[in-house]
Structures are given as structure tokens and as C-alpha cells.
């Protein structure tokens, strides 16, 4: 208290650990120092508002006037004290245009800017024709907190009248096509609001920064920037200013990754983000591999028949009877196989998809490969063991059977997905990337602190596959086809790295979900338009679909049946507990402090994980693949964890008198 009274705001206990001191400096820089810089700029910002020649009005989300500048006072004839604190409806407007204002409100409430011309009345009852832009301002958790209205008077009344009616019609069309569901994850949706064609074609044009086309000289993003620069030259001032903001966004290095702020400053979410989404240097984003064309591999009828599974023990075969169903219990198979479920489930699933036929390898080679892959998973890991690999393989096979996924992917994509699921965590040490980087492990040094584990899983999988012909499932493949398959497998394994989570999800939403939704609205039936096929089967979008598929398969535990969900939650928590214990023993930075086995609340950790990572991703995947049973499990499991959390809170609260 004496320190606080003296004016101190932060207390730091001396610590010989360099990283601890460095973290403290970073917190100071991005906390107090940055805040002071922002506060120092406030006077300049308010001076700009006060001296602006445009009329500026700021309202709350409930349309309560909070600020008007002198230009607004002069134009409308009101004093600031007469406006601040009042509802917009209390300010005189032209009642003949009330339906028009309803249209504007309907648009901006969806998170979209509105720009156009409308009539209003000043304090003396005179009609004023204004060019107006209304901009929603987003605050905590992506909710609209304010509306900023920028206006200037028009000069030509006749032109104004016609433009007003035209803009009204366009705005009403925009409402029908505006499908902004959630802007807080950093999705990018760039649209022109002032220079639209009369046929409305630009309204149906969904831009997507994830769809990058191959070019010989200029990088795609460079060409986009050049086009925008050229468009600015002959554009009106509002359009040119809007394009300036677009260029600022495009010049950032992480187009699809949001600024990581967590919900409600929840420590569980903070630790999950810190532990799962940081691993040192950041990789450049983009589509690493572009397939030249969609390849179809005809398979003769005698090769399609299932592999021989007669040597599988009856009890194990019985457990796998329902492996095509989402309710399949991987833990029963784990028990029946004495913690070796990957070989047996792999044999059955690979047989169902005709993998041996595609690869032109024998069942004996496949069996040897599955054995060597499973033997390189650590059975001592609580979570990242061969049971997790088998579970991800099962989820991958289930997703591959969904109709929309089958329409999108080729046989080579299906085989790549199944192999990637099988090997995606091979030789996992049961520690996170952050731990390996902090500990200076050989793997972290080898892979430059970048996607350490994911790079290791992919590299080791090919090393142990190709070093022995007895288990080399690729040995009979044609060279170019093998290269394409290898690139697809590597890309999918690397997609499981959590630092790129939001990037992958947002690319999927913007490049696939939104265009498909637009086609459904335009055509009316999803199966009757070639544009649907173009969206689903373009090489770039097939990459995004495969990344999303394996990501959802990898962290689908919250969408499993309740008992499986609970078991997986306990296992991953135990692995994180063990990591925290080791970090403390070795004097390393504790990456996820809340995962202390003595104090951690597993329900809270699950709630945070689902809320921050799972919900939005599976909403997008469900919209694409149609997974009502998974979404029902997700909802039920979330309610279960919330119920447990509330019970724990009640036991911690002191009794009331």
C-alpha cells in the first residue's frame, strides 16, 4: 500500500532468469508504455475531429448520441448540449424517408459500412441533402459498440434525389447478400460501397485473399496492390480513402490471423493461446502446393474388393463392426488391442478406401508400414499416442464419406488424408512446441523454432517409410504422382500446427463457405450450377478443404460422445500437467501455468478451449460437410462442462448468512 500511495503501478521481484526479465519488459512495452502513447495521441485526435470540415456524429450501439463536432452543430443548427445523450429518433428527420433509414440500420447492424445520400432536417426545419457514410465500430469480443457518421452537404438537388433512390435500392439488395456472421476472428471481406455497377454484379462478387493464382513475374498480392493503386487515381475521395485502408491491410504479413486478444481475460484461454499458438518464429502464410489439375485414377473392378482381414482376432473385429459410425468407441479398440489400435483400424479403413490398390502395394507391405508407424508413437504419453492417431484416422475417414467432401476430393486426396492422419503425431514427445523451444531441444534447433513437432512428424514419417522396402508403401508409385502425394501429406500434417489455426479457418470460410452460400442464394439449388463445382474442385480450394478436414479430425474430441470427450479431456490435461511439472523441475518458463495438477480446473480448461478454438471452426465445417450429430455432441458436452464448472464455483463460495 505505501508503494501504491506513492504512485507506483507495478511491482517486480528480482529474478535471475533472463526470459522472465524479457517477458516483463515486453509486458511493460505492450501494456503501460503503449497505453501512454495512445493517450498522448488523444489530444491530436480530438483536435482533428473538432477542426474537421465534415460533420461527424458518434453514437452508441443503442443510437444514443455521444459526440458531435462543431461542423455538425453548424450544419444542423443545434448546440452540442442539445444533442449529447439523446436518442437519434429525437432529432428531427424527414418522416417520408423513415423506411430508407430502416434500410440503413438493417445494414449497419450486420457490421457493414453504409454510404449514400439521404434527406434530413435541421433545427429550423430546412431540408438538408447529405452525402453520408455510417461506420460500425467494433469493441470487445467483436460486438458493435459505436456508430460513426461522417456527412457533408450535397449541392445538386436533382442529382441527389435520383442518387438517393438508387442507393436505397442497392442497400436493400446488400442486406440480402450480406452474410457477416462473426468478424472477431479476423476474416477479411473487402467490398466497394460507392462504385457499383447498375447490374449489381459487384454485389455478388465475393473477394477472397486465400485464392492465390499462379503468376510468372509478379506475386499475386503485388498485382492486387497495383490494381488498387490504379483504381485510386480516378476515384472520388471517399473511395480513394477506403482503398488506402484496404492497402494498409493488404501490406500486413498475417492477412488471416487475428490480433490475439482473449475473451474476458480468462487465464485458461490465455494459457491455451500462449501454449498452443506460439513456437518461436512465424512462418509465411500461403498455399504451399498447387496441384496442376484434378486427376482421376480408374481402378479395375477386381482391385476394389476389401483386403483380407481374416487374421484379425474375432473380438477385435467385433469392436470394429461400427467403425464407419461416428459413435465408434476408440477406447474399446484400445483395450481389445492392448493399446495397439492403429494397425487394426488402419487395415480396415485403408481396405475400405482401396488404398493398397491406389498405391499398388501389397497388404503385407501396408501391414508392416502400420506396425512401424505405430511403434514410433510413444505409449507412455497420456494423450499423444497411437490411440489418438487411430482416433484422428477414424474421424478423417468419417469426414471423407460426407457427400460434399466426396464431391471435392480426388482419390489421391483421400489417400493423402488417410496417410497424413495416421502419421500426423508420430514420435510426439508429449510436450508442446513452446516447451521444446524454451528447452533448446535438438528438434527446435533443427527446425529453427518453427513448426518444430509438425515438421518432425512429416519428415520422420517419410524417413521410416522409405528406408526399408518391406514397409515402403510408396515404392511402386510413379515419380510425379508420388511427389504430388508427398506434398499433400506434408501440407496436411503442417496444417495441424495451432499457430495457423485462425488463418486456416478464415481462408476456408472466405474461399469456400461464403462463395458456396452466394451460389446457393443465386441458383437456388446447390446441385444445378457449374460454379459450385468450380468452388469445390479448384486446386487451391481442395488444399483448404484437406487442411480443414485434418484440423477438425485432430481436435474433434469435444464433438465425441460424452464419455469419450471426458476421457480425452483427462488425458490431454495429464499430459499438460506433466509438462508443467517438468518445466518447474528444469527451471524453464512455465508455458501454461493454469495446468498445475494441484489447482487446475479441467472444466474451465475445456470451456476455454471449446469457446476459443472449436466452436467457430466446427460451425464452418458443419456448414460445409453437414454434421448435425457432431454439433449436438458439442453442444451437450459444453453444457456438461459448464455444469461442472458452476458446481465447483458453488463449493468455493462461502455460505451466505
Amino acid at each position: 500500500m505505501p508503494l501504491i500511495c506513492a504512485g507506483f503501478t507495478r511491482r517486480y521481484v528480482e529474478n535471475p532468469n533472463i526470459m522472465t526479465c524479457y517477458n516483463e519488459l515486453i509486458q511493460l512495452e505492450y501494456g503501460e508504455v503503449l497505453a501512454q502513447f495512445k493517450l498522448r495521441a488523444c489530444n491530436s485526435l480530438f483536435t482533428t475531429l473538432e477542426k474537421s470540415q465534415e460533420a461527424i456524429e458518434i453514437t452508441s450501439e443503442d443510437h444514443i448520441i455521444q459526440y458531435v463536432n462543431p461542423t455538425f452543430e453548424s450544419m444542423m443548427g443545434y448546440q452540442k448540449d442539445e444533442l449529447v445523450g439523446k436518442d437519434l429518433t429525437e432529432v428531427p428527420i424527414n418522416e417520408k424517408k423513415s423506411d430508407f433509414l430502416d434500410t440503413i440500420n438493417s445494414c449497419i447492424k450486420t457490421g457493414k459500412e453504409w454510404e449514400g445520400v439521404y434527406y434530413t432536417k435541421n433545427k429550423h426545419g430546412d431540408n438538408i441533402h447529405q452525402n453520408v457514410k455510417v461506420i460500425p465500430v467494433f469493441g470487445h469480443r467483436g460486438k458493435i459498440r459505436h456508430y460513426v457518421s461522417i456527412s457533408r452537404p450535397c449541392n445538386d438537388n436533382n442529382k441527389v434525389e435520383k442518387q438517393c433512390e438508387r442507393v436505397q435500392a442497392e442497400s436493400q439488395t446488400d442486406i440480402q447478400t450480406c452474410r457477416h456472421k462473426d468478424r472477431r476472428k479476423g476474416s477479411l471481406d473487402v467490398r466497394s460501397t460507392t462504385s457499383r455497377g447498375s447490374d449489381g454484379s459487384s454485389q455478388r462478387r465475393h473477394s477472397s485473399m486465400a485464392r492465390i493464382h499462379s503468376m510468372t513475374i509478379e506475386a499475386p498480392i503485388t498485382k492486387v496492390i497495383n490494381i488498387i493503386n490504379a483504381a485510386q487515381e480516378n476515384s472520388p475521395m471517399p473511395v480513394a480513402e477506403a482503398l488506402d485502408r484496404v492497402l494498409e491491410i493488404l501490406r500486413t504479413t498475417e492477412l488471416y490471423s487475428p490480433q490475439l486478444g482473449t475473451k474476458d481475460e480468462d487465464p485458461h484461454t490465455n494459457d491455451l493461446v500462449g501454449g498452443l499458438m506460439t513456437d518461436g518464429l512465424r512462418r509465411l502464410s500461403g498455399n504451399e502446393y498447387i496441384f496442376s489439375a484434378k486427376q482421376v485414377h480408374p481402378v479395375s473392378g477386381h482391385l476394389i474388393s476389401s483386403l483380407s482381414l481374416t487374421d484379425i482376432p474375432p473380438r477385435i473385429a467385433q469392436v470394429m463392426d461400427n467403425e464407419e459410425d461416428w459413435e465408434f468407441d476408440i477406447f474399446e479398440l484400445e483395450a481389445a488391442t492392448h493399446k495397439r489400435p492403429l494397425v487394426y483400424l488402419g487395415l480396415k479403413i485403408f481396405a475400405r478406401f482401396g488404398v493398397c490398390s491406389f498405391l499398388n502395394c501389397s497388404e503385407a507391405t501396408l501391414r508392416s508400414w502400420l506396425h512401424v508407424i505405430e511403434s514410433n508413437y510413444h505409449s507412455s504419453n497420456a494423450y499423444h499416442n497411437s490411440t489418438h492417431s487411430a482416433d484422428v484416422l477414424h474421424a478423417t475417414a468419417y469426414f471423407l464419406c460426407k457427400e460434399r467432401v466426396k464431391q471435392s476430393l480426388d482419390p489421391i486426396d483421400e489417400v493423402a488424408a488417410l496417410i497424413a492422419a495416421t502419421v500426423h503425431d508420430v514420435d510426439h514427445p508429449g510436450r508442446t512446441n513452446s516447451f521444446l523451444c524454451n528447452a533448446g531441444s535438438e528438434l527446435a534447433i533443427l527446425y529453427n523454432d518453427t513448426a518444430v513437432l509438425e515438421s518432425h512428424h512429416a519428415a520422420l514419417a517419410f524417413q521410416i517409410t522409405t528406408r526399408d522396402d518391406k514397409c515402403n508403401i510408396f515404392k511402386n508409385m510413379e515419380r510425379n504422382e508420388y511427389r504430388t502425394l508427398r506434398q499433400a501429406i506434408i501440407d496436411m500434417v503442417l496444417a495441424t500446427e495451432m499457430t495457423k489455426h485462425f488463418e486456416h479457418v478464415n481462408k476456408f470460410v472466405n474461399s469456400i463457405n461464403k462463395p458456396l452460400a452466394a451460389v446457393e442464394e443465386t441458383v437456388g439449388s446447390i446441385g444445378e450450377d457449374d460454379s459450385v463445382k468450380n468452388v469445390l474442385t479448384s486446386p487451391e480450394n481442395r488444399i483448404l478443404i484437406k487442411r480443414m478436414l485434418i484440423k477438425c479430425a485432430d481436435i474433434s474430441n469435444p464433438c465425441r460422445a460424452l464419455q469419450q470427450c471426458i476421457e480425452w479431456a483427462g488425458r490431454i490435461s495429464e499430459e499438460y500437467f506433466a509438462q508443467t511439472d517438468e518445466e518447474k523441475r528444469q527451471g524453464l518458463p512455465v508455458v501454461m501455468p493454469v495446468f498445475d495438477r494441484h489447482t487446475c480446473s479441467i472444466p474451465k480448461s475445456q470451456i476455454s478451449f471449446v469457446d476459443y478454438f472449436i466452436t467457430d471452426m466446427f460451425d464452418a465445417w458443419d456448414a460445409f460437410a453437414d454434421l448435425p450429430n457432431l454439433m449436438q455432441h458439442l453442444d451437450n458436452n459444453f453444457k456438461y462442462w459448464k455444469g461442472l464448472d458452476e458446481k465447483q464455483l458453488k463449493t468455493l463460495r462461502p455460505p451466505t448468512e
Side-chain angles (χ1 to χ4, degrees):
M1 288 306 299
L3 291 173
I4 292 175
C5 294
F8 289 91
T9 60
R10 192 179 189 91
R11 179 171 180 263
Y12 176 65
V13 180
E14 184 176 353
N15 192 313
N17 187 295
I18 292 178
M19 286 306 299
T20 302
C21 300
Y22 182 65
N23 287 337
E24 186 71 18
L25 289 174
I26 291 176
Q27 291 180 63
L28 286 170
E29 179 185 357
Y30 287 93
E32 288 90 335
V33 176
L34 187 59
Q36 287 298 323
F37 275 118
K38 289 181 177 180
L39 288 172
R40 188 183 299 176
C42 284
N43 286 334
S44 300
L45 294 176
F46 276 110
T47 301
T48 303
L49 290 173
E50 293 287 309
K51 300 299 182 182
S52 173
Q53 295 181 1
E54 295 178 312
I56 299 173
E57 177 187 52
I58 301 176
T59 67
S60 68
E61 67 268 35
D62 300 320
H63 301 292
I64 303 299
I65 299 173
Q66 296 182 327
Y67 171 84
V68 294
N69 69 346
T71 305
F72 187 95
E73 294 179 86
S74 175
M75 184 171 69
M76 298 301 295
Y78 290 93
Q79 295 298 313
K80 185 179 296 185
D81 294 340
E82 298 178 85
L83 296 172
V84 174
K86 291 188 177 181
D87 193 287
L88 275 178
T89 57
E90 299 179 40
V91 180
I93 61 171
N94 189 336
E95 58 276 1
K96 294 181 181 178
K97 298 294 178 180
S98 59
D99 57 337
F100 185 31
L101 293 175
D102 289 340
T103 301
I104 297 173
N105 288 332
S106 299
C107 182
I108 61 178
K109 284 180 180 177
T110 64
K112 187 177 180 183
E113 294 182 7
W114 182 91
E115 184 168 1
V117 181
Y118 68 75
Y119 294 86
T120 187
K121 286 185 178 182
N122 63 15
K123 185 176 181 180
H124 308 295
D126 300 325
N127 283 327
I128 298 178
H129 311 148
Q130 296 175 307
N131 282 310
V132 179
K133 175 183 282 189
V134 184
I135 306 164
V137 180
F138 294 87
H140 185 56
R141 302 185 71 177
K143 294 182 179 179
I144 296 174
R145 297 302 186 189
H146 299 89
Y147 295 104
V148 176
S149 174
I150 305 172
S151 56
R152 62 177 66 175
C154 299
N155 296 322
D156 192 329
N157 292 346
N158 293 330
K159 291 181 180 179
V160 166
E161 178 69 23
K162 293 178 181 178
Q163 188 178 3
C164 179
E165 298 302 330
R166 177 176 63 80
V167 172
Q168 179 179 359
E170 289 182 353
S171 298
Q172 290 170 340
T173 305
D174 280 347
I175 299 302
Q176 298 171 2
T177 59
C178 184
R179 298 178 63 85
H180 293 272
K181 179 184 175 186
D182 189 350
R183 296 170 63 97
R184 65 186 166 84
K185 294 302 185 189
S187 62
L188 183 62
D189 190 52
V190 182
R191 305 187 186 193
S192 172
T193 59
T194 57
S195 54
R196 291 180 176 139
S198 58
D199 61 353
S201 60
S202 63
Q203 298 167 8
R204 296 188 296 272
R205 192 178 303 122
H206 291 252
S207 74
S208 171
M209 292 309 302
R211 193 173 300 171
I212 301 177
H213 302 284
S214 59
M215 301 181 68
T216 55
I217 300 175
E218 289 182 306
I221 193 64
T222 304
K223 189 164 187 178
V224 169
I225 291 174
N226 290 340
I227 291 172
I228 293 174
N229 282 328
Q232 277 186 303
E233 294 179 4
N234 299 316
S235 298
M237 183 59 67
V239 177
E241 291 173 353
L243 291 177
D244 275 334
R245 293 195 296 273
V246 171
L247 289 172
E248 289 177 13
I249 296 171
L250 293 180
R251 289 189 176 106
T252 62
T253 57
E254 298 291 339
L255 291 177
Y256 286 88
S257 297
Q259 298 296 316
L260 290 177
T262 59
K263 303 175 182 179
D264 302 325
E265 299 300 326
D266 174 38
H268 291 80
T269 307
N270 280 325
D271 282 3
L272 285 168
V273 171
L276 299 178
M277 299 192 66
T278 57
D279 65 347
L281 302 176
R282 301 280 294 181
R283 287 186 294 115
L284 294 176
S285 59
N287 292 325
E288 286 84 353
Y289 310 113
I290 302 296
F291 297 158
S292 58
K294 189 173 182 181
Q295 303 174 357
V296 178
H297 302 271
V299 181
S300 57
H302 70 280
L303 291 177
I304 298 178
S305 59
S306 297
L307 296 174
S308 173
L309 301 173
T310 54
D311 54 343
I312 292 180
R315 180 166 177 258
I316 296 176
Q318 183 180 2
V319 171
M320 292 194 298
D321 277 346
N322 68 330
E323 58 86 15
E324 296 183 34
D325 187 44
W326 184 253
E327 306 306 317
F328 171 70
D329 191 342
I330 193 66
F331 297 116
E332 287 189 20
L333 183 62
E334 179 189 60
T337 59
H338 304 290
K339 297 187 177 182
R340 307 291 287 181
L342 186 57
V343 169
Y344 295 101
L345 187 63
L347 279 173
K348 187 164 186 183
I349 289 178
F350 278 48
R352 177 154 60 90
F353 282 85
V355 173
C356 283
S357 300
F358 182 90
L359 298 175
N360 192 25
C361 73
S362 66
E363 178 188 348
T365 302
L366 175 63
R367 185 187 295 272
S368 298
W369 179 77
L370 288 169
H371 272 293
V372 74
I373 293 296
E374 184 157 40
S375 66
N376 278 275
Y377 277 92
H378 299 188
S379 59
S380 58
N381 288 346
Y383 182 87
H384 287 101
N385 49 43
S386 67
T387 303
H388 168 66
S389 172
D391 184 62
V392 175
L393 174 61
H394 171 263
T396 299
Y398 181 83
F399 294 151
L400 288 173
C401 292
K402 305 307 291 184
E403 190 59 36
R404 182 70 67 78
V405 178
K406 288 195 293 185
Q407 293 173 10
S408 309
L409 303 183
D410 289 340
I412 193 170
D413 298 316
E414 294 179 351
V415 172
L418 295 171
I419 294 174
T422 304
V423 306
H424 82 283
D425 272 334
V426 66
D427 196 38
H428 197 294
R431 300 291 182 265
T432 64
N433 280 330
S434 297
F435 176 92
L436 297 180
C437 294
N438 289 334
S441 72
E442 291 184 5
L443 287 179
I445 294 171
L446 176 64
Y447 294 110
N448 301 314
D449 288 353
T450 305
V452 175
L453 285 173
E454 292 74 24
S455 299
H456 175 60
H457 302 323
L460 182 65
F462 281 96
Q463 287 173 3
I464 61 182
T465 299
T466 57
R467 70 186 176 195
D468 187 350
D469 273 0
K470 292 181 180 179
C471 64
N472 188 356
I473 57 176
F474 307 123
K475 62 183 177 183
N476 295 324
M477 293 189 71
E478 186 269 330
R479 181 184 298 273
N480 289 336
E481 190 171 57
Y482 167 69
R483 287 290 301 161
T484 301
L485 180 66
R486 170 176 156 80
Q487 288 174 349
I489 294 168
I490 293 171
D491 186 77
M492 292 184 73
V493 173
L494 293 180
T496 62
E497 180 200 13
M498 290 301 289
T499 63
K500 297 293 182 182
H501 173 81
F502 294 116
E503 177 182 327
H504 293 317
V505 173
N506 283 312
K507 283 184 177 181
F508 182 84
V509 169
N510 283 284
S511 294
I512 297 172
N513 279 3
K514 288 184 178 180
L516 285 177
V519 169
E520 287 177 329
E521 289 178 355
T522 305
V523 179
S525 175
I526 194 64
E528 297 178 2
D529 196 275
D530 288 339
S531 56
V532 173
K533 184 177 180 182
N534 294 336
V535 172
L536 294 178
T537 61
S538 72
E540 298 91 343
N541 284 355
R542 282 162 50 211
I543 291 174
L544 299 181
I545 291 168
K546 287 182 291 183
R547 289 175 182 173
M548 190 71 164
L549 185 151
I550 196 167
K551 279 184 62 60
C552 290
D554 187 29
I555 53 177
S556 64
N557 306 152
C559 299
R560 293 289 187 180
L562 179 58
Q563 291 307 313
Q564 294 184 53
C565 173
I566 294 172
E567 177 66 21
W568 284 124
R571 292 188 178 200
I572 190 62
S573 297
E574 175 55 38
E575 200 164 284
Y576 288 160
F577 294 158
Q579 174 171 310
T580 300
D581 293 342
E582 186 170 353
E583 286 167 336
K584 291 178 179 179
R585 283 197 304 271
Q586 295 189 21
L588 297 172
V590 178
V591 176
M592 296 180 284
V594 296
F595 283 97
D596 184 309
R597 66 176 68 253
H598 304 296
T599 59
C600 180
S601 166
I602 293 179
K604 280 187 180 297
S605 68
Q606 286 297 300
I607 291 168
S608 298
F609 182 68
V610 170
D611 195 34
Y612 200 79
F613 293 103
I614 297 296
T615 302
D616 292 325
M617 182 176 71
F618 270 93
D619 279 342
W621 187 235
D622 173 51
F624 177 78
D626 187 24
L627 304 162
N629 51 337
L630 276 73
M631 302 309 290
Q632 185 61 54
H633 281 314
L634 179 60
D635 184 54
N636 292 340
N637 294 341
F638 189 76
K639 291 178 180 176
Y640 169 80
W641 294 121
K642 288 287 267 187
L644 280 186
D645 183 42
E646 290 171 2
K647 288 180 181 177
Q648 288 183 356
L649 287 175
K650 288 179 181 178
T651 60
L652 294 175
R653 291 187 187 126
T656 56
E657 294 182 1

